[in-house]
Every structure is written in structure tokens, then in C-alpha cells.
Amino acid sequence: MVEHYDLTILTDDDYDVKYIGEQVKEIIKKSKISDGIISVITSHTSTGILVTEPLECIVSDLEVLLRRLVKDDEEYAHAHFLPTYGRTSANAPGHLRSILTGNSCMFPLRKGKMQMGAAQDILLMEFDGPQERMVFVEIIGE
Amino acid sequence: MVEHYDLTILTDDDYDVKYIGEQVKEIIKKSKISDGIISVITSHTSTGILVTEPLECIVSDLEVLLRRLVKDDEEYAHAHFLPTYGRTSANAPGHLRSILTGNSCMFPLRKGKMQMGAAQDILLMEFDGPQERMVFVEIIGE
Amino acid sequence: MVEHYDLTILTDDDYDVKYIGEQVKEIIKKSKISDGIISVITSHTSTGILVTEPLECIVSDLEVLLRRLVKDDEEYAHAHFLPTYGRTSANAPGHLRSILTGNSCMFPLRKGKMQMGAAQDILLMEFDGPQERMVFVEIIGE
């Protein structure tokens, strides 16, 4: 069996972090599939999906790291007027941070529950907000 | 149902980028599965698979970033004569860049179509070309 | 069909690398599924799962890179007393390295065999050991 869901998340800032593990668990409660795999995939190219411990201090260390590895104020080729955007693009660092963090995660679905380690949560990383973001949640199994 | 495909891609340079989303969509047109998950996985350790917007400027910003994070001319332990290669290995930075970009991606398959965000494409990153590269495309669903 | 397995791995050092491709192949030998997808997912937030060539020199270049990108001795927000840990946290770099390397991988299962490139192995990266670690191995297919 296959079930498709869309998760809509409003982000609040240019750089933002949303814990979405609970929302994925709410989706699973509605599912008819009890055993399989859950895939969580962002539909954007300036957001990331990653798994870590949902602590403010870790998230803040991650922000320092991502701003150090991918500078806000570098000279980016992408920082020019883009007709398709209708404006000068300012999200070059967002695209690059998105590539470093990755854009999806998976977890086992076992006996109706998403199997995660005790410290794990799923994070939607916003690198070009605030925006309404859409995340695919795919459940496949039996 | 499960379907396996192999995608062969010729890369043109030591460092190269190939947009392969269209080729994956061509595969899906042949598939008997209409709903499920598509997984795209490289079979190599000096290539990457990632998802981003297929713009020259973004790809060029990414190359600057990857060459800054993983230098071409560092002293690498891997840069020695390897009997299995029959030559001195020159692809240490390629292996490391491959680890940073990741080696796979997934997308939903919904009603016969690969569900992607408007800006998303799949990129095969070549870090040790030119070579003939092989990418696994796996479709699972119903 | 869906099959769930847990792989228990003892790591030997604060920073450690374990090649686990063989153990995953042992699991597949027991499986009743011959065609599908194998997902390997860590249950921890200070370990990584990645795919590369299992050579000492590559693994050592990777360690140099990860210690350069994410310093051992930075001032981390996470480096404070955590009541839930019962001690001052020392694994901030481990969480960050885990995010950079990723926490899962997938491979095709074709005719009872895990389909991998000739140079590929699966690595469990330990960033906060030594510990007993648990990795989910999920097989889905037919």
C-alpha cells in the first residue's frame, strides 16, 4: 500500500527551524499502513530536512556552523537579476546550505509507530523565509 | 511491485554536473507502477546525487563552495600509489565531496508522475571524471 | 512485504568508523524478500551513516576534513550542563558532524542481493563513543 500526504509549514524568518516530527506522527495515526517506511521530502531547494536532537543549543550551534561554512555575504554568481524571480536573487547561501543539510529523511514504520531513537526529531530548515513550505510525507508498506 | 532500472551517464570533465531529472521522468513513463517512491542512487564513491534548482549560477556557486570546503591541493592520505587502481590516486577530494553532497535522493510517485517542487531537479555530480557512470533508479509501489 | 531488523554495533572510540556493509548483507541472506529497497538508518543523533570506499586512507582524510569543518574545541552553545544528560554535554561537534554526513542510506535489492557499486561500502560513523549503537535495517519489496 502507498499513501501520500502533504505537510504545509509556515516559517517565520529568513533563517528558521521547525521541528516537524510530531506532525509526521499525527499523519501516521491516520494511516492504514502499519509496517513499512516513512519518507519525508521537502519540495523546495532552499530548505533542508535533517534529523537531530531538538535542543535550542544544538540548533544554535548548527546555525553558527552553516553561516561559517556558507557565508551570508560572499560574492555569489546566483546574486543577480533573475527574470523568472522578477528580482535580484538573495538566496544563494540558502541553496548551498540546503545541499549540505540534505533534503529528505526516512524512518521505519513498525506496528503503526514511527521508529525513532529517543533523541531524534525531524527538522525542516528554512534558509529563504519566511514562506509557506510544503513537505511530502510518503508511507509505503502493508 | 518493484522495478529496477540503470541509468548510464557519460560525464565530460574531472568536475562536472549532469541534470538527470528528465531521464528519471523518461524511465517513469515506461513504468507499470503509478504510486509509490522513486529512489535514485549512485553506484560510485566519487560522484554525488543531490537536488537543487538547475541554474548555471547555483551550480557554479556550489563548485566554489565544494572546492573551498575540500581543497584540490591538500595533502591527502589517499594520494598514494594504490595497487588496485594501478596508479597514484588523485580522487581524494572527489570521495570527500561525494560524502558532503550525499549519494541518493527520493521523490514521490503519484498518479504516474514524479512529484517534485517547481524548482527541483536531480543532479549527478561528477568529482572524478570524465567517466561512464551508472545510477540505480528503483521504483517501488503499486 | 516488509521486514524490520536492528543491527547492534559496539564502537571503540570517541571518533570511530565501522564498516557495516557485510552485516547488512548477512541480514539480507535471511530475508524472504528478493526484490526491493534496503534502507539503513541510524537511531542516534551523534552518529552518521554514509557510503564510500572502505580504505583506511579515505577514512583518515575524512576525519581530517570533519575535524576541520567542525572543530573539537569551538565554543559550542550545547557545551553546558544538561539535566537530561546528568552532565556537561561534550558532543556538540558530534551532532554537527552527524548532520554533515547524513543519517541513512539506501540500496537496491535485486534477485536477493544488495546491489552496490564495486567500491561501495556502508559506514557507521561514531562521533560520541565508545557506545553500543543501534541501526535500523528496513527491507521492503516482494
Side-chain angles (χ1 to χ4, degrees):
Chain A
M1 273 198 295
V2 178
E3 292 177 9
H4 310 294
Y5 298 90
D6 292 335
L7 199 55
T8 302
I9 295 131
L10 285 163
T11 61
D12 294 313
D13 215 335
D14 181 43
Y15 181 109
D16 199 7
V17 175
K18 296 291 180 193
Y19 303 126
I20 63 171
E22 277 308 312
Q23 284 158 279
V24 175
K25 284 176 188 165
E26 286 302 313
I27 285 174
I28 291 163
K29 282 184 191 163
K30 291 182 264 176
S31 170
K32 283 176 186 139
I33 303 173
S34 68
D35 283 85
I37 279 275
I38 303 141
S39 302
V40 179
I41 308 161
T42 179
S43 68
H44 308 280
T45 56
S46 53
T47 60
I49 298 280
L50 60 85
V51 176
T52 194
E53 198 172 349
L55 294 176
E56 287 249 357
C57 48
I58 289 175
V59 162
S60 123
D61 286 335
L62 177 61
E63 181 171 353
V64 170
L65 177 70
L66 290 175
R67 289 194 194 273
R68 180 162 61 76
L69 297 184
V70 181
K71 305 274 184 225
D72 284 318
D73 57 359
E74 203 105 337
E75 273 190 42
Y76 292 108
H78 186 50
H80 65 94
F81 183 82
L82 282 167
T84 49
Y85 287 31
R87 56 177 173 78
T88 297
S89 155
N91 63 6
H95 288 294
L96 300 177
R97 287 167 189 156
S98 165
I99 290 167
L100 289 185
T101 57
N103 82 328
S104 69
C105 72
M106 322 178 258
F107 280 102
L109 178 64
R110 298 181 179 181
K111 294 184 181 171
K113 295 212 168 150
M114 181 156 66
Q115 189 79 16
M116 305 179 92
Q120 291 183 314
D121 200 350
I122 303 172
L123 275 64
L124 173 70
M125 305 296 299
E126 171 63 83
F127 298 128
D128 187 31
Q131 286 199 53
E132 185 179 290
R133 297 302 201 168
M134 219 261 283
V135 171
F136 306 128
V137 179
E138 305 297 308
I139 311 180
I140 189 159
E142 59 197 20
Chain B
M1 273 198 294
V2 178
E3 292 177 10
H4 311 294
Y5 298 90
D6 292 334
L7 200 55
T8 301
I9 295 132
L10 284 164
T11 61
D12 294 312
D13 214 335
D14 180 43
Y15 181 108
D16 199 7
V17 175
K18 296 291 179 193
Y19 303 126
I20 63 170
E22 278 309 312
Q23 284 158 279
V24 176
K25 284 176 188 165
E26 286 303 313
I27 285 174
I28 291 164
K29 281 184 192 162
K30 292 182 264 175
S31 170
K32 283 177 185 139
I33 303 173
S34 68
D35 284 84
I37 279 275
I38 303 141
S39 301
V40 179
I41 308 161
T42 179
S43 69
H44 308 281
T45 57
S46 54
T47 61
I49 298 279
L50 60 86
V51 177
T52 193
E53 198 171 349
L55 295 175
E56 287 249 358
C57 49
I58 289 176
V59 161
S60 124
D61 286 335
L62 177 61
E63 180 171 351
V64 171
L65 176 70
L66 290 175
R67 289 194 195 271
R68 180 162 59 76
L69 297 184
V70 181
K71 306 274 184 224
D72 284 318
D73 56 0
E74 202 104 337
E75 273 189 42
Y76 292 108
H78 186 50
H80 64 95
F81 183 82
L82 283 166
T84 51
Y85 287 30
R87 56 177 172 80
T88 296
S89 156
N91 62 6
H95 287 295
L96 300 177
R97 288 168 189 156
S98 166
I99 290 167
L100 289 185
T101 58
N103 82 329
S104 68
C105 72
M106 323 178 259
F107 281 102
L109 178 65
R110 297 180 179 183
K111 295 183 180 170
K113 295 212 167 149
M114 181 157 66
Q115 189 80 17
M116 304 180 94
Q120 292 183 314
D121 200 349
I122 303 172
L123 277 62
L124 173 71
M125 305 296 300
E126 171 63 83
F127 299 128
D128 187 32
Q131 287 199 52
E132 184 179 290
R133 297 302 201 167
M134 219 262 282
V135 172
F136 306 129
V137 179
E138 305 297 308
I139 310 180
I140 188 160
E142 59 195 20
Chain C
M1 274 198 293
V2 178
E3 292 177 8
H4 311 295
Y5 298 90
D6 293 334
L7 199 55
T8 301
I9 296 132
L10 284 164
T11 62
D12 294 313
D13 214 335
D14 180 42
Y15 182 108
D16 198 7
V17 176
K18 296 292 179 192
Y19 303 125
I20 63 171
E22 277 309 311
Q23 284 158 280
V24 175
K25 285 175 188 165
E26 286 302 312
I27 285 174
I28 291 163
K29 281 185 192 162
K30 292 182 264 175
S31 170
K32 283 176 185 140
I33 302 173
S34 68
D35 284 83
I37 279 275
I38 304 141
S39 302
V40 179
I41 308 161
T42 179
S43 69
H44 307 280
T45 57
S46 54
T47 61
I49 298 280
L50 60 86
V51 176
T52 194
E53 198 171 349
L55 295 176
E56 288 249 357
C57 47
I58 289 176
V59 161
S60 124
D61 287 334
L62 176 61
E63 180 170 352
V64 171
L65 177 69
L66 290 175
R67 290 194 194 271
R68 180 163 59 78
L69 297 184
V70 181
K71 306 272 183 226
D72 283 319
D73 56 1
E74 202 105 336
E75 274 190 40
Y76 292 108
H78 186 52
H80 64 95
F81 183 82
L82 283 167
T84 49
Y85 287 29
R87 56 176 172 81
T88 296
S89 155
N91 63 4
H95 288 294
L96 300 178
R97 287 168 190 155
S98 165
I99 290 167
L100 289 185
T101 57
N103 82 327
S104 68
C105 72
M106 325 178 257
F107 281 101
L109 178 64
R110 297 180 179 182
K111 295 184 181 169
K113 294 213 169 150
M114 181 156 66
Q115 189 80 17
M116 304 179 93
Q120 292 183 314
D121 201 348
I122 304 171
L123 276 64
L124 172 71
M125 305 295 300
E126 172 63 83
F127 299 128
D128 186 32
Q131 287 199 52
E132 185 181 289
R133 297 302 201 167
M134 218 262 283
V135 172
F136 306 128
V137 179
E138 305 297 307
I139 311 180
I140 187 160
E142 59 196 20

